[in-house]
Amino acid sequence: MNDGRQKFQRSRGSIPDRDFYSGQKGEALKPEIRATESLIAECNPGSPTGTKTLMEEVCNRANLERALKRVKANKGSGGVDGMKVEELSAYLKGNWQEIKERLLTGAYKPQPVKRVEIPKPDGGMRKLGIPAVLDRFIQQAILQVLQEMYDKTFSEHSYGFRPKRSAQQAVLQAQKYISEGHTIVVDIDLEKFFDKVNHDRLMSTLAKRIEDKRMLKVIRAYLNAGVMEGGLVKLAQEGTPQGGNLSPLLSNIVLDELDKELEKRGHLFVRYADDSNIYVKSARAGERVMKSVTKFITEKLKLKVNEAKSAVDKPSKRRFLGYSFTNEASPRIRIAPKSLKRFKERIREITNRNRGISLMRMVKELMDYVRGWMGYYRYCQTPSILEQLSSWIRRRIRCYIWKQWKTFANRAAMLIKRGVSEKIAYASARAPGLWVASHSESLQVALPNSYFARIGVCPLKSFVKV
């Protein structure tokens, strides 16, 4: 709602409307409506549900409660109206009936998306969108209904933004194809995919399976809501809602046509969002596939292939979802070099010796990051790399401790206290630099691997999924 923030302020202290908070459980579809839906489904075998009452399902109490719980769990910043996630429940109590009426009549108007910029890991800025909290809630409620409707008909080769599917599963499937002798990958990158989706084509695709005109109207409204940047609203002519809960599903609906085409041609492939990898047995076949698939994407889907980032090559020379593969007959999954570089950059920031924080606080920040990172890269099958990284991290921490010990006398005393002989301790305390000292035998004796285990620094390989 365009005046959402003002209405939120006015609603404080008002008597709540009768809504999905008020204890009224009667939002579920009545038996006669469900019977009608079944009849429609029988008459329309091409439609996953055949229903014309999708918006009623969106407004179902149980569906709304699930959506609210998800939005609260995801947290995030406020949108253009300034409403915070914590304020959403109170706002809905006072305004849900009006919002529901607009949804059920197809009159709901979403607010523009707030544009923000964040640095890219490899330089430059990435533009992101932050929808208003209310719109995130409504999009989530719509997503839950449409996801159930569409997901069962998506390709088995599609792994991105789908229930019970993950990037790691996509990487494991790619490894299987390579192990079976498909040692050339056709790596296709779509140029600014989420910004380039054709609205008319997307709506036409949705209309083939969605009979509820109100649902189509609301989705179109989200596509056209535009972004607010510098106080000005720029209407969207193409692309899916930036940062919106619906965007991933809409992208899968658009690219499902590509999946079905690749299946029809008999290709072995893996797709995660806009990353598509097709596996073939020769470079010649790869070039042929690249040419024909690029033509299909350009002419049929009206999208553009990023030629600079796409290639026909050995999988060991390409990066897929942050992973890569060893160049062996039975390839192992490894972490891509660029991913390792970013990891080390972040570790350097956390263990910077000039931060001026306690050792234990630094260790907590470090391990929080390492756990999250290894949670994603837990399928790494090159333990030697993980051992090298663990050794390097311990050396960074030794540097941190060595600097905290500060003076020559204190360093010598701390070494002696930890079992280093007096003569070696005094010699080591004169080490010319922190990095050199961190690799010295005396500091490794004083701060052995068992010490790091005691302060909670776990080796990276301990997070690997066997």
Side-chain angles (χ1 to χ4, degrees):
M1 298 172 65
N2 294 330
D3 57 348
R5 182 61 178 178
Q6 290 81 358
K7 289 188 176 180
F8 165 70
Q9 297 290 352
R10 290 199 302 267
S11 70
R12 288 185 173 178
S14 62
I15 299 174
D17 292 330
R18 195 192 245 175
D19 54 28
F20 65 97
Y21 280 109
S22 63
Q24 301 299 318
K25 300 279 187 179
E27 290 287 328
L29 295 178
K30 296 178 181 179
E32 59 267 26
I33 295 178
R34 293 199 178 278
T36 303
E37 287 185 13
S38 300
L39 181 60
I40 294 172
E42 290 175 5
C43 297
N44 295 276
S47 174
T49 63
T51 180
K52 292 183 179 180
T53 57
L54 285 177
M55 198 55 77
E56 278 75 11
E57 292 188 34
V58 168
C59 295
N60 174 275
R61 178 191 175 97
N63 185 58
L64 294 170
E65 289 178 341
R66 282 176 54 210
L68 182 62
K69 185 176 180 180
R70 176 59 65 88
V71 170
K72 285 183 175 180
N74 290 343
K75 300 180 181 179
S77 304
V80 295
D81 62 356
M83 187 190 297
K84 299 177 182 178
V85 173
E86 309 88 72
E87 300 171 329
L88 178 59
S89 294
Y91 177 73
L92 290 173
K93 284 185 178 181
N95 296 276
W96 172 243
Q97 282 302 310
E98 182 183 349
I99 298 167
K100 178 181 176 181
E101 183 68 22
R102 289 173 180 252
L103 287 170
L104 293 177
T105 59
Y108 182 80
K109 300 293 182 185
Q111 298 180 76
V113 170
K114 181 180 177 182
R115 171 66 57 79
V116 295
E117 292 186 345
I118 62 170
K120 290 183 179 179
D122 50 357
M125 301 297 290
R126 186 189 306 280
K127 292 185 176 182
L128 296 180
I130 304 177
V133 173
L134 175 61
D135 286 320
R136 297 211 291 269
F137 166 69
I138 293 172
Q139 283 195 45
Q140 179 63 35
I142 293 172
L143 169 67
Q144 290 166 181
V145 171
L146 294 187
Q147 185 96 58
E148 185 176 347
M149 172 179 166
Y150 273 94
D151 193 74
K152 64 188 76 170
T153 66
F154 283 154
S155 168
E156 285 298 309
H157 300 272
S158 168
Y159 291 85
F161 310 120
R162 297 183 60 190
K164 299 180 181 179
R165 288 186 162 241
S166 66
Q168 292 87 348
Q169 290 174 335
V171 173
L172 289 168
Q173 183 60 61
Q175 181 188 35
K176 183 173 183 290
Y177 289 148
I178 301 166
S179 299
E180 292 171 350
H182 302 87
T183 55
I184 296 294
V185 61
V186 181
D187 185 353
I188 298 176
D189 183 271
L190 298 179
E191 187 172 299
K192 296 181 179 179
F193 168 70
F194 290 95
D195 297 329
K196 296 296 183 182
V197 171
N198 183 283
H199 287 180
D200 290 338
R201 199 172 192 288
L202 171 56
M203 293 307 303
S204 176
T205 301
L206 292 171
K208 292 176 183 177
R209 299 175 63 175
I210 295 176
E211 298 175 289
D212 193 327
K213 303 300 181 185
R214 300 162 302 174
M215 177 69 79
L216 295 172
K217 192 173 180 180
V218 169
I219 293 174
R220 170 69 87 167
Y222 274 116
L223 293 175
N224 294 338
V227 297
M228 179 175 284
E229 192 171 11
L232 299 175
V233 176
K234 181 180 179 182
L235 297 180
Q237 303 298 322
E238 57 185 1
T240 54
Q242 293 219 14
N245 305 52
L246 266 178
S247 190
L249 175 63
L250 295 179
S251 71
N252 274 335
I253 291 171
V254 170
L255 293 176
D256 186 57
E257 191 171 347
L258 173 61
D259 296 342
K260 297 299 192 290
E261 179 66 19
L262 295 179
E263 288 176 348
K264 187 172 73 174
R265 298 183 185 189
H267 290 311
L268 300 178
F269 69 98
V270 177
R271 182 178 67 78
Y272 190 97
D274 56 338
D275 287 332
S276 296
N277 279 7
I278 306 169
Y279 294 88
V280 297
K281 292 189 174 182
S282 70
R284 186 175 179 181
E287 294 293 347
R288 187 171 61 250
V289 169
M290 174 67 83
K291 184 177 179 180
S292 64
V293 173
T294 298
K295 182 179 179 181
F296 176 83
I297 291 171
T298 304
E299 296 181 1
K300 186 76 173 177
L301 301 184
K302 306 301 181 185
L303 297 170
K304 188 176 181 181
V305 172
N306 188 329
E307 295 182 7
K309 293 185 178 181
S310 301
V312 176
D313 211 336
K314 292 183 178 180
S316 59
K317 295 182 179 180
R318 303 298 296 174
R319 182 165 61 113
F320 182 50
L321 302 175
Y323 283 95
S324 188
F325 303 92
T326 60
N327 190 24
E328 301 168 310
S330 297
R332 290 174 294 155
I333 297 171
R334 64 188 179 95
I335 303 170
K338 187 175 284 188
S339 302
L340 291 173
K341 181 182 177 183
R342 292 175 183 170
F343 173 77
K344 295 185 79 170
E345 287 172 354
R346 180 63 183 134
I347 295 299
R348 287 189 182 97
E349 291 175 4
I350 295 172
T351 59
N352 187 304
R353 297 180 289 279
N354 297 317
R355 293 189 66 195
I357 62 174
S358 70
L359 172 66
M360 295 314 297
R361 179 181 165 186
M362 184 271 286
V363 167
K364 183 181 184 308
E365 289 183 25
L366 171 72
M367 292 313 299
D368 285 347
Y369 174 70
V370 167
R371 285 190 190 92
W373 193 79
M374 283 304 302
Y376 182 81
Y377 289 105
R378 64 188 181 275
Y379 285 90
C380 174
Q381 296 170 346
T382 53
S384 60
I385 296 296
L386 299 180
E387 288 171 2
Q388 290 173 22
L389 285 174
S390 294
S391 177
W392 176 76
I393 289 172
R394 289 193 294 270
R395 190 172 176 185
R396 293 281 308 176
I397 298 175
R398 288 190 181 104
C399 277
Y400 199 91
I401 295 171
W402 191 244
K403 183 171 183 180
Q404 286 191 333
W405 287 351
K406 293 183 179 179
T407 65
F408 164 80
N410 189 54
R411 286 170 177 171
M414 296 301 283
L415 290 174
I416 293 169
K417 182 180 178 180
R418 285 166 170 73
V420 178
S421 70
E422 232 180 271
K423 181 178 179 181
I424 295 176
Y426 280 108
S428 298
R430 293 188 175 90
L434 297 174
W435 191 243
V436 173
S438 69
H439 197 53
S440 66
E441 183 177 348
S442 59
L443 202 53
Q444 291 184 60
V445 169
L447 302 173
N449 291 357
S450 57
Y451 166 79
F452 292 98
R454 287 198 301 274
I455 65 173
V457 179
C458 307
L460 268 62
K461 65 181 181 180
S462 66
F463 298 98
V464 170
K465 186 175 181 65
V466 180

